[in-house]
Amino acid sequence: MFDFLKPNPAVALLKEDHIRVKDLFDQFEQATTRPAKKKLVRAVLTELKVHAAIEEEIFYPAVRKPVGKEIMNEADEEHHVAKLLIAELDLMDGSESHFDAKFHVLAENVRHHIKEEEDEMLPKAKGVKLDFEALAEKMARRKETLLADGVAPVGEDTMAKAGKGNGDSPSKAAKRKTPQLPKAGKK
Ligand SMILES: [Fe+2]
């Protein structure tokens, strides 16, 4: 059998996660009650935190060099933006004016990120000479642990806490801190 035709267990694990999270995004769009939406957001946050952790701890470092820094750096930055939105949503109780909007933006970002991974990174990664069986096993084990114990706070959690919710509504935040403009004609 040609190597490139063999199923890749590590890539398959990531793609299963992608399918599950996209399905949760679709369910959120269909949900009509606040408790249902809140429950779905919590489920997505858990999925994404665990998924990002196993990618960042195990998969990304394993394929980084051969896949190339251009693709990998972009993925890192997309994770950063997603993790900041995740951290902000984590601090919300679902009643805030920007809760749904923030979640929509997270979903759009993550859908875009998944597309780039599946169109560019994962096809390239599949060609890498690696023990993907062992890698997939390591990822699955780590995933189990993270689901049981939770994911430790990341830098983006600290950033979200430091913002004290001011990032929730930029227009409100701007009103709170209107900069004093110098008066015309005065130096
Ligand atoms: Fe990712």
Side-chain angles (χ1 to χ4, degrees), residues 18 51 55 60 79 113 117:
H18 291 170
H51 180 77
E55 281 190 338
Y60 281 12
H79 272 212
H113 174 68
E117 277 191 351

Side-chain angles (χ1 to χ4, degrees), residues 65-177:
K65 219 169 175 185
V67 167
K69 70 175 179 185
E70 203 178 312
I71 289 176
M72 298 310 297
N73 286 356
E74 198 174 319
D76 290 341
E77 292 306 320
E78 286 168 356
H79 272 212
H80 169 55
V81 172
K83 286 193 291 184
L84 188 55
L85 293 170
I86 290 167
E88 289 179 349
L89 282 161
D90 234 357
L91 295 174
M92 294 172 133
D93 66 15
S95 65
E96 299 83 353
S97 67
H98 282 53
F99 184 77
D100 286 24
K102 203 178 284 293
F103 187 73
H104 277 296
V105 173
L106 174 68
E108 281 169 6
N109 271 280
V110 171
R111 282 185 191 279
H112 167 83
H113 174 68
I114 287 175
K115 192 171 177 344
E116 289 207 333
E117 277 191 351
E118 294 195 355
D119 289 354
E120 296 172 29
M121 184 199 294
L122 298 181
K124 264 193 148 185
K126 272 182 173 178
V128 175
K129 282 240 168 294
L130 253 180
D131 185 348
F132 280 107
E133 296 273 346
L135 196 74
E137 240 176 68
K138 201 173 167 189
M139 287 159 71
R141 269 204 311 273
R142 182 73 180 131
K143 199 175 163 182
E144 259 178 44
T145 307
L146 291 169
L147 282 171
D149 300 347
V151 177
V154 291
E156 287 81 359
D157 290 299
T158 312
M159 291 169 74
K161 277 189 187 134
K164 291 184 186 128
N166 285 351
D168 188 27
S169 168
S171 56
K172 264 196 241 164
K175 271 183 208 153
R176 274 196 292 272
K177 282 187 187 171

Side-chain angles (χ1 to χ4, degrees), residues 2-63:
F2 296 111
D3 263 5
F4 67 90
L5 287 175
K6 277 190 198 161
N8 181 309
V11 169
L13 188 148
L14 294 178
K15 284 190 173 178
E16 278 166 25
D17 280 359
H18 291 170
I19 290 170
R20 213 168 30 252
V21 83
K22 282 196 283 185
D23 180 56
L24 289 168
F25 288 149
D26 290 342
Q27 286 185 47
F28 181 88
E29 302 300 331
Q30 307 293 323
T32 51
T33 68
R34 189 98 321 246
K37 285 188 176 192
K38 278 160 68 171
K39 205 172 157 195
L40 286 161
V41 170
R42 293 292 151 227
V44 166
L45 298 189
T46 303
E47 282 280 340
L48 288 178
K49 281 187 208 176
V50 172
H51 180 77
I54 61 167
E55 281 190 338
E56 290 173 15
E57 290 175 16
I58 303 167
F59 189 82
Y60 281 12
V63 301

